[in-house]
Amino acid sequence: MMIKISMIINRPINVISSTKDAYIDLNTTAGSLMGDAPGTSFSIITGADYTNVTGIYIHNTQLWVSAVNHVTLDNISAVVEDQRVGSGVGQTSIRDGSEYITVKNSYFSTTRNGGSSTFVLAYANYCNIDNCTITAGEGSGNLLYFTTYNVNVNMTGKLVNSFNNVTNCKIMPQTEGSGVSLSVVINGYNNTFINNTVKSGGISPQWTGGSSMGWEDPHQAHGYANYTFINNTISGQVEVIKGSSFINNTIGSIYLENNTVINNTITYTQINLTSQLNGNNLSIVEILNINASNSTIINNTIGKIKVNNANVTIKNNIINGREEIILDVTSENNIICNNQITSRALWCDDVVNVDREKNIFENNTPNGIEFNVTDTTYTNFFDETGNVRSNITNFTRLNLVGTFNNKNFTINNKNLQINGIDAILNNATFIIDNQAVVVISNLTINSENSKGIIINSNDNILRNLTIIHNTPTSTLIISNDSTFIKNIQIIKNITTNTNDNLEIINITSNSNEISDLNITIKSDVFTNNITAFSIKNTNNNQINSSNISMNVLRATGIMVKNSSNIELNYNDLFINSQIESKGIIISGNCNETSLEDNNLELKSLNQTYGIIFTNITIDNLTYKMSSNIININSKKAVGLIMDLKNYNFIQEGYSNSISINATEDVQGIISTGYSTFCSVNVSSLKNIETNSAITLISYKNNIRNLRSVSATNASVLRVLNSTNVSLIFGRHVPVYSTNPIYLINSTNITINELYMTISNSNAINIINSSNNVINYSNITTNNTNSNVISFINSSNNVIEYNNITANNTNSNAISLINSSNNVIEYNNITANNTNSNAISLINSSNNVIEYNNITANNTNSNAISLINSSNVNITRNNLISNNKTGDDAIVIDKNSINSIIELNTPTIRILNNQTYNQLFDKNGMLKIDKKEIILQLTSDLNGVKLGFNNTNTLYKRGSSNGTNLW
């Protein structure tokens, strides 16, 4: 028996490791989460003032510092792994009024310690925590926790976790997303954090703490205020800490109440109570609370600011963003003066929303210069090659007025706006180059030039344009980043052919935002492929809420190749081709692709593809595909191709719909990896064996909720060369098909909850496949000469817990040909009006048929037939065929030997005066030891005794001759 002890220091001593390898493991097992049973511990308690502990490794042990002053812990490692240590108090706990405790150069770590904190201060003051690492893994609580909970001594009127310093520390989980609670939880007053790194979780007040309750009184148990943060890096969120100062920090997000914020870099700032911000770099600032009135925001660099329900002062800031409105003020009595306000090539008045009559808005720059340009005055602003002249300065707006003929517009190293006023540009090309930042808006461009618009610089804006460009070349080329494109109409009617494929919009850059485009492309002469959008080797591009209409010979709506974080949402694609239509192609390593709420209406006289994923060459690509609608009418068609080349694919998606009407070949989905299936409906005028709603090839993932699947002249499902797949259709959701489900050369496939009715065809064919399972399904065939389920050259498969019905058929419910070691169990199997058997085995040995209810309702049928099939185990079934039951309902040819046939029920016997003595002994007890017996009376019985033992169940089958028992 292990005796647990504690090590308690209650007088001043120096504890060191002379050999540098001291190791203490007291095997602490904590009790209540209320902190009243922390277990064995290494404790420094009252009386141990001025104790020093140096160079000790403490493992799975409570470290306890209580009601003591002037203690130093140096070069300590306190590690907990897979043990309940620190319940309600924290693994390392400095508490109960301890003061002037120094912890330095130390390491604290907990993993799966019962969910409690790593390092805790509980009514501890004037402590210094310096150059320490505080970390935790899965199953731990907060990392650094200032608390007032579970302190079991009277601290009324005492200082509350105040005047502590945390410096040069790393406070972070062992890995991102490791499941710890919060990085820093604070309570108390006048604490200082300097030069710390805090990751994942940020800084939050203690639960139920309230800065509104006596926040200036350091004796208020649940308060927290007046902190100082200097030179910290805090990746998460800093919640409200009233009266605190933040200087030279990098912070993810912060919520301010009566704070001073100087020289920080902050991604998101919300001001809820009057605060002062000076000299900061702030991405987004929001002031939404009237209590934030009288705040001052001065000398900052800001990406975007929103003011609502408050009046504040915004002065001498650089407000430089990327959105169309970067200063949005909807309240009154604000002072907005001497700010530089720009967003891309927009400036000041263009990017602010301020009521000038209700606010002071003065001396904000740049003011910009505006000129009207006509075809006649064009040469005053552009030279003979179309370059903007050098005397045109930044922040100039050039208004193009009227019609321009054969004029080009090239902008280099300028920040300009080009705006149209009833402007039509004939045969014009725009080139934006060499770090130019330009807004082009409100123009109609009617050009036969080889290119329409070429963008070779960042941060440009195109909006409200109509581009008519009929040449067989690209209309819009975007080769640099962060272009914003909205509300553009592109019209191309191509009447000449070239030898090359054509890309109408060609994007080879990053972070472009494209929305509300209308693209119309027509051609009956261009023989190569035309792609409306081409996105190659890029990241973070968006194409949303756009319409693509193509009536050409060969067409692709959107092509994405080797590009990540691509968003394609709310688009409508209408494609009609003579040779080939392709909706969306995702090719190569396109991680984090989003396809949501797109509508694809595709037609072709020959071949159509809806969405294609192909040429994947890395593992664990993630994509999202939800609520897309794919409708196809074509000679040959495929709705969705997931060509994943055996790489893992992580998919999030639901509610997609595929509907196809084909005249020949049809495939709803072809997949080699993870796919999203919800609604798949396919039909063809020609019944081709390979037609299917879903085809899985070398597939290796599960599919759930295969709902609303139907196939006319096609199979619902074909599984080829696949392993370890679970196919869950969804209980009570019917599946309609005219062709069978195929499992070919596949292993470990499970078909679950299939509710399927099929006419004039097998329901399921299992060919050259093994170790597959069909269970919990309802499968019915009607008016067919084929089997419900057929096994051909297949072994080790299981059919269980199904309802299988064959109606009006000349074939079997289940057929096994050249198939061995299969199990058929716990099924309800019925063959109605059939001239064949319910189950037929041909050249199929070593199979098991047990615990089934099998009925064959025809004079020419048997429940089970064995032909050249040996070593078959047929036991414990309920078997009924016309005039035959139990073992008698099984027919076996002379080549079927060594089978076990027993305990099948019911047994039927003729009972009359002549057979009575054969069936009953002299005491009137039935001599047949069968569980279920049917006795059919064929004559009256007089004065006889009928006795049955406990194992018998009598089934009285009435006859039509009016026989009686007397």
Side-chain angles (χ1 to χ4, degrees):
M1 177 178 179
M2 179 179 291
I3 299 175
K4 293 190 175 183
I5 63 171
S6 292
M7 299 179 67
I8 301 174
I9 300 170
N10 59 7
R11 66 187 63 186
I13 62 173
N14 292 324
V15 179
I16 64 171
S17 173
S18 58
T19 58
K20 311 296 183 183
D21 60 355
Y23 181 92
I24 297 172
D25 189 333
L26 301 180
N27 193 30
T28 300
T29 301
S32 168
L33 288 172
M34 300 306 294
D36 52 5
T40 56
S41 64
F42 182 94
S43 298
I44 304 170
I45 63 173
T46 302
D49 293 2
Y50 296 98
T51 287
N52 299 299
V53 180
T54 304
I56 307 296
Y57 189 105
I58 300 173
H59 183 258
N60 284 357
T61 297
Q62 176 72 57
L63 177 54
W64 189 266
V65 181
S66 173
V68 66
N69 300 326
H70 299 289
V71 170
T72 298
L73 304 178
D74 186 10
N75 194 24
I76 299 296
S77 292
V79 177
V80 173
E81 303 168 297
D82 299 303
Q83 191 142 323
R84 187 182 175 94
V85 179
S87 295
V89 294
Q91 183 274 325
T92 295
S93 192
I94 303 172
R95 57 194 301 105
D96 306 332
S98 295
E99 294 186 346
Y100 300 103
I101 309 300
T102 296
V103 183
K104 60 184 180 180
N105 308 317
S106 297
Y107 178 84
F108 302 89
S109 174
T110 58
T111 302
R112 293 180 291 277
N113 73 328
S116 294
S117 298
T118 303
F119 195 110
V120 169
L121 271 67
Y123 279 95
N125 307 295
Y126 303 104
C127 298
N128 294 302
I129 304 167
D130 180 62
N131 194 33
C132 294
T133 296
I134 303 172
T135 186
E138 179 184 1
S140 299
N142 304 316
L143 301 183
L144 174 61
Y145 191 5
F146 292 16
T147 187
T148 55
Y149 292 121
N150 299 337
V151 175
N152 297 315
V153 297
N154 187 359
M155 301 301 296
T156 302
K158 300 295 181 64
L159 281 175
V160 180
N161 295 324
S162 299
F163 304 102
N164 299 292
N165 298 314
V166 180
T167 57
N168 304 305
C169 292
K170 295 179 180 179
I171 305 168
M172 62 188 72
Q174 293 170 6
T175 58
E176 293 291 333
S178 59
V180 301
S181 295
L182 295 167
S183 293
V184 179
V185 179
I186 56 98
N187 168 271
Y189 305 84
N190 302 296
N191 297 299
T192 299
F193 284 71
I194 300 176
N195 293 330
N196 302 288
T197 298
V198 179
K199 289 187 176 180
S200 184
I203 298 176
S204 177
Q206 173 181 268
W207 184 70
T208 76
S211 59
S212 61
M213 296 189 299
W215 67 274
E216 295 177 320
D217 179 7
H219 302 88
Q220 169 58 248
H222 294 296
Y224 46 91
N226 300 330
Y227 281 56
T228 300
F229 294 88
I230 301 173
N231 293 332
N232 301 284
T233 298
I234 305 169
S235 64
Q237 173 178 292
V238 178
E239 294 192 21
V240 173
I241 311 173
K242 279 188 177 178
S244 298
S245 298
F246 297 86
I247 302 170
N248 295 328
N249 302 283
T250 299
I251 300 173
S253 61
I254 192 167
Y255 295 81
L256 302 178
E257 291 191 4
N258 193 35
N259 299 124
T260 299
V261 183
I262 301 172
N263 295 336
N264 300 277
T265 298
I266 306 173
T267 301
Y268 175 80
T269 304
Q270 185 178 112
I271 306 174
N272 296 314
L273 188 64
T274 304
S275 297
Q276 292 73 45
L277 288 73
N278 193 296
N280 302 284
N281 190 337
L282 310 172
S283 298
I284 299 174
V285 179
E286 290 191 335
I287 308 165
L288 309 177
N289 194 320
I290 193 170
N291 295 322
S293 294
N294 301 313
S295 294
T296 59
I297 303 170
I298 299 173
N299 294 323
N300 303 280
T301 298
I302 303 171
K304 181 180 180 181
I305 183 167
K306 181 181 180 67
V307 183
N308 186 17
N309 293 325
N311 52 83
V312 299
T313 297
I314 303 171
K315 295 176 63 174
N316 300 319
N317 301 285
I318 297 173
I319 306 174
N320 182 19
R322 295 172 46 77
E323 299 185 22
E324 292 190 81
I325 299 296
I326 60 171
L327 176 59
D328 187 8
V329 179
T330 57
S331 58
E332 302 176 4
N333 301 315
N334 297 282
I335 300 172
I336 305 168
C337 299
N338 303 315
N339 301 286
Q340 180 179 316
I341 307 172
T342 57
S343 178
R344 304 188 191 229
L346 302 169
W347 55 86
C348 207
D349 292 353
D350 298 325
V351 291
V352 301
N353 175 37
V354 179
D355 189 331
R356 312 297 175 88
E357 295 182 357
K358 297 179 180 179
N359 297 276
I360 298 174
F361 188 87
E362 297 176 347
N363 301 321
N364 298 291
T365 60
N367 295 316
I369 304 171
E370 187 168 352
F371 297 101
N372 288 342
V373 182
T374 66
D375 190 63
T376 303
T377 62
Y378 166 87
T379 56
N380 295 333
F381 303 92
F382 298 88
D383 65 20
E384 62 277 2
T385 62
N387 285 284
V388 67
R389 293 192 180 275
S390 59
N391 62 328
I392 304 302
T393 60
N394 286 334
F395 305 115
T396 296
R397 179 183 292 117
L398 299 178
N399 294 320
L400 304 185
V401 182
T403 300
F404 291 73
N405 295 307
N406 302 310
K407 301 295 192 298
N408 292 324
F409 301 85
T410 301
I411 299 97
N412 294 284
N413 293 308
K414 298 285 186 182
N415 194 319
L416 302 177
Q417 295 183 29
I418 297 180
N419 177 57
I421 300 177
D422 298 324
I424 298 175
L425 281 58
N426 295 316
N427 294 330
T429 296
F430 280 86
I431 300 175
I432 303 171
D433 213 343
N434 294 329
Q435 299 181 355
V437 181
V438 180
V439 176
I440 303 174
S441 59
N442 303 315
L443 298 173
T444 295
I445 303 171
N446 188 350
S447 180
E448 298 299 325
N449 295 349
S450 62
K451 299 292 188 293
I453 300 176
I454 301 172
I455 299 175
N456 294 326
S457 65
N458 299 334
D459 295 313
N460 297 282
I461 296 176
L462 307 180
R463 62 188 180 190
N464 304 326
L465 304 176
T466 296
I467 305 172
I468 303 168
H469 184 232
N470 295 325
T471 60
T473 56
S474 296
T475 298
L476 178 58
I477 299 173
I478 306 171
S479 59
N480 277 59
D481 298 342
S482 303
T483 298
F484 180 84
I485 301 175
K486 185 174 183 179
N487 195 24
I488 291 182
Q489 182 177 20
I490 296 175
I491 301 171
K492 291 184 80 82
N493 188 0
I494 302 170
T495 57
T496 57
N497 190 26
T498 68
N499 293 324
D500 299 319
N501 293 328
L502 173 58
E503 297 165 343
I504 307 304
I505 298 178
N506 189 343
I507 301 171
T508 57
S509 56
N510 304 318
S511 302
N512 302 288
E513 300 176 40
I514 301 173
S515 66
D516 298 291
L517 267 64
N518 285 281
I519 302 174
T520 302
I521 307 166
K522 296 180 180 180
S523 180
D524 57 5
V525 298
F526 193 89
T527 57
N528 289 304
N529 187 72
I530 300 175
T531 300
F533 279 99
S534 173
I535 305 171
K536 296 179 182 178
N537 304 310
T538 73
N539 298 295
N540 304 309
N541 286 295
Q542 301 175 19
I543 301 175
N544 295 327
S545 302
S546 294
N547 296 309
I548 300 171
S549 177
M550 306 177 73
N551 196 332
V552 296
L553 299 181
R554 300 176 187 268
T556 300
I558 301 173
M559 159 68 86
V560 180
K561 185 175 182 179
N562 294 325
S563 299
S564 295
N565 295 99
I566 305 300
E567 186 175 296
L568 308 174
N569 299 334
Y570 303 101
N571 300 292
D572 292 320
L573 280 66
F574 302 92
I575 300 176
N576 187 5
S577 75
Q578 296 183 37
I579 300 174
E580 185 177 70
S581 295
K582 296 178 181 177
I584 299 173
I585 301 176
I586 309 296
S587 177
N589 298 322
C590 299
N591 202 20
E592 299 289 347
T593 300
S594 173
L595 295 169
E596 297 187 82
D597 293 280
N598 299 288
N599 181 33
L600 283 65
E601 300 286 340
L602 310 176
K603 296 180 180 180
S604 179
L605 298 178
N606 186 45
Q607 179 74 61
T608 299
Y609 302 92
I611 297 176
I612 302 172
F613 287 84
T614 188
N615 296 322
I616 308 301
T617 59
I618 64 173
D619 272 340
N620 297 320
L621 251 65
T622 299
Y623 77 99
K624 181 184 291 185
M625 196 166 103
S626 299
S627 301
N628 299 284
I629 298 173
I630 303 172
N631 292 321
I632 297 175
N633 287 277
S634 183
K635 179 181 178 182
K636 302 176 181 180
V638 182
L640 173 65
I641 296 178
M642 310 293 295
D643 179 16
L644 308 180
K645 305 297 185 187
N646 295 318
Y647 291 92
N648 291 323
F649 215 51
I650 302 169
Q651 176 269 341
E652 302 173 26
Y654 54 89
S655 298
N656 298 286
S657 173
I658 299 173
S659 180
I660 304 175
N661 292 308
T663 57
E664 293 186 7
D665 302 74
V666 63
Q667 304 279 341
I669 299 171
I670 301 175
S671 181
T672 63
Y674 205 116
S675 299
T676 177
F677 303 102
C678 283
S679 174
V680 184
N681 301 289
V682 301
S683 69
S684 176
L685 296 180
K686 184 179 291 187
N687 196 332
I688 299 173
E689 183 178 350
T690 56
N691 287 350
S692 71
I694 301 165
T695 299
L696 308 180
I697 304 173
S698 301
Y699 196 87
K700 58 180 181 179
N701 283 294
N702 296 334
I703 306 174
R704 295 181 179 273
N705 297 321
L706 281 158
R707 299 180 182 273
S708 300
V709 181
S710 69
T712 301
N713 286 332
S715 299
V716 165
L717 176 68
R718 291 173 58 85
V719 182
L720 313 176
N721 306 311
S722 297
T723 60
N724 302 316
V725 182
S726 178
L727 303 166
I728 302 176
F729 282 79
R731 184 165 293 179
H732 304 306
V733 177
V735 171
Y736 171 79
S737 179
T738 58
N739 291 24
I741 291 174
Y742 285 92
L743 272 62
I744 302 175
N745 298 322
S746 295
T747 59
N748 294 311
I749 310 298
T750 298
I751 296 178
N752 182 270
E753 297 183 4
L754 170 65
Y755 279 67
M756 180 177 179
T757 299
I758 188 169
S759 300
N760 302 316
S761 174
N762 288 7
I764 301 175
N765 288 340
I766 301 174
I767 303 171
N768 298 324
S769 297
S770 62
N771 299 296
N772 302 292
V773 177
I774 301 173
N775 58 15
Y776 301 105
S777 297
N778 272 325
I779 309 169
T780 301
T781 61
N782 294 320
N783 303 312
T784 179
N785 291 318
S786 300
N787 307 305
V788 180
I789 301 175
S790 290
F791 292 88
I792 301 173
N793 300 321
S794 296
S795 60
N796 298 302
N797 300 284
V798 176
I799 308 295
E800 60 183 3
Y801 302 108
N802 303 286
N803 293 314
I804 301 169
T805 305
N807 292 323
N808 303 313
T809 179
N810 290 319
S811 294
N812 311 287
I814 299 176
S815 169
L816 283 73
I817 299 175
N818 300 321
S819 297
S820 60
N821 298 303
N822 298 286
V823 176
I824 302 171
E825 61 183 4
Y826 300 107
N827 302 283
N828 293 314
I829 303 170
T830 303
N832 290 319
N833 301 316
T834 179
N835 290 318
S836 296
N837 308 299
I839 299 178
S840 175
L841 280 69
I842 301 173
N843 300 324
S844 297
S845 299
N846 299 301
N847 295 287
V848 174
I849 303 172
E850 60 183 0
Y851 299 109
N852 301 281
N853 289 313
I854 304 173
T855 302
N857 294 320
N858 191 287
T859 56
N860 296 320
S861 299
N862 298 287
I864 300 172
S865 168
L866 304 184
I867 299 174
N868 198 33
S869 299
S870 300
N871 299 305
V872 179
N873 185 342
I874 306 175
T875 59
R876 297 179 177 86
N877 301 281
N878 187 59
L879 306 179
I880 299 174
S881 62
N882 196 16
N883 296 320
K884 296 178 183 179
T885 61
D887 295 345
D888 297 334
I890 303 169
V891 60
I892 305 172
D893 76 345
K894 63 180 181 179
N895 296 318
S896 299
I897 59 174
N898 299 324
S899 291
I900 300 173
I901 299 175
E902 62 183 13
L903 303 178
N904 298 287
T905 61
T907 298
I908 187 169
R909 291 292 184 265
I910 302 298
L911 177 59
N912 54 38
N913 286 315
Q914 288 74 33
T915 64
Y916 174 80
N917 290 329
Q918 300 172 16
L919 300 176
F920 291 86
D921 63 18
K922 64 181 179 179
N923 297 316
M925 298 300 294
L926 185 68
K927 294 190 291 186
I928 301 173
D929 187 17
K930 295 287 186 180
K931 183 178 180 182
E932 295 182 356
I933 302 168
I934 294 176
L935 296 179
Q936 184 171 356
L937 296 178
T938 60
S939 70
D940 293 344
L941 292 176
N942 300 310
V944 297
K945 180 179 179 181
L946 302 178
F948 303 93
N949 61 40
N950 292 332
T951 64
N952 297 141
T953 300
L954 174 64
Y955 288 79
K956 177 178 177 291
R957 177 175 288 183
S959 65
S960 60
N961 59 7
T963 58
N964 295 286
L965 290 170
W966 299 95

